[in-house]
Amino acid sequence: MLEQSYYDKTDEIIGSHGTEQAALIPIIQDIQSEYRYLPPELLSYVAGKLGISEAKAYSVATFYENFSFEPKGKYIIKVCDGTACHVRKSIPILERLYSELGLSKAKVTTDDMLFTLETVSCLGACGLAPVLTVNDKVYPAMTPDAAAELIRELRGA
Ligand code: FES
């Protein structure tokens, strides 16, 4: 069960976009940027307000990979494992981060909700490989030690 404040905020977001069916994506984008994920309860709520079936709203939201139905951490770290980064040893960076954060492929967010660790197939910065991003800020030419240091800095931030 979500608190009432989530619904109040959603009403505010709907108010700024209107209730045309085309407003669905901008509305759920705003919800996701507010909460760093898209609570399924709110997707159903928005669908109701816009007169869209829940099934349709889910199919739209799941079509766009950017929407997440799981809560994410304050810092979303994306380690690139595209070809350029892979050959420049992105996997040891990923493994070091998994071990520093106590995470794994099956558990990608820390219990304190500070970090979410994901992989991506190319961040479009291959010349800077190996690359990772934290909340879309690019960190070039990473090493496992530099990644561990970055985590320490973020924890202290
Ligand atoms: S392969 Fe990593 S940025 Fe392109």
Side-chain angles (χ1 to χ4, degrees):
M1 268 298 276
L2 293 174
E3 288 171 20
Q4 181 59 35
S5 64
Y6 282 74
Y7 294 94
D8 294 345
K9 183 74 201 171
T10 300
D11 282 336
E12 199 182 295
I13 291 170
I14 293 171
S16 71
H17 291 288
T19 52
E20 295 288 324
Q21 297 198 351
L24 176 66
I25 290 176
I27 289 169
I28 60 181
Q29 278 171 336
D30 280 5
I31 294 171
Q32 172 148 297
S33 63
E34 178 75 20
Y35 298 113
R36 299 195 301 276
Y37 81 112
L38 177 58
E41 297 92 328
L42 294 184
L43 181 59
S44 305
Y45 182 73
V46 171
K49 291 274 180 181
L50 270 54
I52 299 172
S53 72
E54 279 191 36
K56 173 98 191 293
Y58 271 92
S59 74
V60 169
T62 49
F63 180 76
Y64 293 95
E65 278 184 32
N66 270 340
F67 291 110
S68 164
F69 294 116
E70 298 289 330
K72 291 195 181 188
K74 178 178 177 191
Y75 298 111
I76 300 172
I77 303 172
K78 294 183 184 176
V79 176
C80 182
D81 193 34
T83 308
C85 290
H86 189 88
V87 300
R88 290 187 175 224
K89 303 201 178 345
S90 56
I91 293 297
I93 296 169
L94 182 66
E95 283 170 351
R96 179 70 172 272
L97 286 172
Y98 276 145
S99 91
E100 289 284 328
L101 297 170
L103 296 175
S104 66
K105 258 191 182 156
K107 176 176 165 51
V108 298
T109 298
T110 55
D111 290 334
D112 62 7
M113 298 306 294
L114 212 46
F115 296 100
T116 294
L117 182 56
E118 300 175 340
T119 56
V120 287
S121 54
C122 179
L123 288 163
C126 310
L128 307 173
V131 178
L132 63 78
T133 58
V134 180
N135 295 355
D136 297 331
K137 179 171 176 195
V138 175
Y139 290 84
M142 289 306 282
T143 63
D145 283 350
E149 179 57 32
L150 180 59
I151 295 298
R152 268 191 289 282
E153 279 169 25
L154 293 172
R155 277 203 176 106

